[in-house]
Amino acid sequence: MAHLDNKDRILLSALQHNARLSNAQLAEQASLSDTPCLRRVKKLQQDGVILGYHATLAPQSLGYTVLVYAFIRLSENSAQAATQFESDVEQLQQVLSCSVVSGAHDYLLEIIAEDLPSYEHFVKHRLGAIGCIAGIESTIVLKQTFTKRPLPV
C-alpha cells in the first residue's frame, strides 16, 4: 500500500471526479506549484495507485438497456478450470466485470445487453459455450439507482 499524504489524497480525489483537469488546475486544488504537482501525479502512476484515465459512457446512449448480474458455478474446482474460465470470459465484451466469490457460486459477472433477447442469445451462444461452466443464475437489474466509481480517499 502506497503512503499517501493529504496532498496526494486531494490530487486523487480531483482526478477521480475529473481526469481532464489540467496540471495547473490540479496544482491549484492541492495548493502546489505545477512541477511538484506533476511529479506527484507521475509517482502515483508509477506506484500503481493511478491505473489509468477513462471516459464514463452512458450505456443507454449506446443501445444497452439491460444490466445483469450472473452467478457462475464451474464444473470443477481446479486452478485449470478457473484459469480457462477467466481467460474465456475476459474476451467477452458484454462482461463488464468478473469477480471470484465465496458461497454456492464461484464467480459473479456484471453483464450488459441491448435487451432481454440479446442477453438470452449471449447466454446460450457465448457464455454457455464455455465448457467449464456447470451453472448460470442471472439476476436482471430493474433499476440502478446509482453507481459510485470514485473510491473514498
Side-chain angles (χ1 to χ4, degrees):
M1 184 170 145
H3 172 60
L4 303 175
D5 64 15
N6 192 48
K7 300 280 187 197
D8 291 333
R9 291 177 193 286
I10 291 169
L11 294 172
L12 292 171
S13 180
L15 286 170
Q16 283 191 103
H17 288 90
N18 183 1
R20 296 185 65 174
L21 289 172
S22 69
N23 186 59
Q25 291 169 314
L26 266 176
E28 183 180 328
Q29 286 193 28
S31 300
L32 293 167
S33 60
D34 290 0
T35 302
C37 178
L38 185 60
R39 195 175 305 128
R40 280 177 178 262
V41 171
K42 287 184 185 251
K43 179 158 179 24
L44 291 166
Q45 291 170 341
Q46 291 169 348
D47 291 348
V49 177
I50 297 174
L51 299 177
Y53 300 89
H54 310 277
T56 302
L57 308 179
Q60 298 82 0
S61 70
L62 299 171
Y64 298 107
T65 63
V66 174
L67 177 63
V68 178
Y69 291 102
F71 294 93
I72 307 297
R73 206 170 27 31
L74 298 184
S75 55
E76 62 179 76
N77 191 5
S78 70
Q80 181 181 1
T83 300
Q84 183 63 53
F85 173 76
E86 291 169 14
S87 175
D88 289 349
V89 85
E90 189 173 6
Q91 303 306 311
L92 302 174
Q93 290 184 340
Q94 297 91 329
V95 178
L96 301 179
S97 68
C98 174
S99 302
V100 176
V101 295
S102 64
H105 302 94
D106 299 306
Y107 289 90
L108 174 63
L109 304 180
E110 182 180 15
I111 303 169
I112 56 168
E114 293 173 357
D115 51 29
L116 289 176
S118 67
Y119 177 68
E120 179 186 14
H121 184 269
F122 172 77
V123 168
K124 288 181 178 175
H125 299 281
R126 301 293 312 271
L127 190 59
I130 298 174
C132 57
I133 293 179
I136 303 169
E137 288 183 33
S138 300
T139 299
I140 308 295
V141 175
L142 298 177
K143 176 184 173 186
Q144 189 170 47
T145 58
F146 69 88
T147 296
K148 286 187 180 179
R149 294 295 178 208
L151 298 175
V153 289

